[in-house]
Amino acid sequence: MLRSAEQKRQGPVAGGGEDPRVTELRSAVSRLRRRLAAHPGEFADRTIAEEELAAVAAMAADGIPEIPRLRRSLLLIAGAIGSVSALSAELTEVRRAVDLFGGPVRGQG
């Protein structure tokens, strides 16, 4: 069954189940956390990335995350690991998962 963009923004398909956006976010964050943990190189902002990924994982575990907070976390994660090319594919997946939630309303963040 195809869903419109508006239905995707509204949440899960009627009849129960987890919101597919949350599922995608949880999976993308999990993959990035695993790759980051396995990455041998040290960099200055690694702790920031790890903490923000943990925060996003917690938001996803609680259900629909607060979009402004989710976007803030994404910016911090991207700033912390954006220059580590070995993690770019997973970072892109997290960004795409965050984008599924839409953006903040203009003027609110």
Side-chain angles (χ1 to χ4, degrees):
M1 174 175 156
L2 293 176
R3 297 176 66 202
S4 71
E6 182 63 28
Q7 288 172 320
K8 288 179 184 177
R9 274 188 242 115
Q10 290 175 355
V13 176
E18 184 175 73
D19 186 325
R21 300 171 302 169
V22 173
T23 303
E24 183 62 31
L25 179 61
R26 186 177 298 141
S27 296
V29 167
S30 179
R31 283 188 294 274
L32 181 53
R33 288 178 86 181
R34 282 193 308 270
R35 282 296 306 268
L36 181 58
H39 185 70
E42 286 299 319
F43 48 94
D45 294 331
R46 185 181 194 125
T47 301
I48 293 169
E50 290 168 344
E51 289 172 356
E52 287 303 317
L53 284 166
V56 173
M59 283 189 271
D62 288 342
I64 304 294
E66 180 185 332
I67 294 170
R69 173 69 175 108
L70 186 60
R71 292 221 169 258
R72 179 183 175 277
S73 289
L74 176 61
L75 287 173
L76 290 170
I77 294 164
I81 64 174
S83 64
V84 181
S85 61
L87 302 173
S88 65
E90 288 80 8
L91 178 58
T92 298
E93 289 179 26
V94 171
R95 183 192 56 80
R96 286 183 182 142
V98 168
D99 286 347
L100 292 174
F101 290 92
V105 176
R106 278 206 185 268
Q108 292 185 354

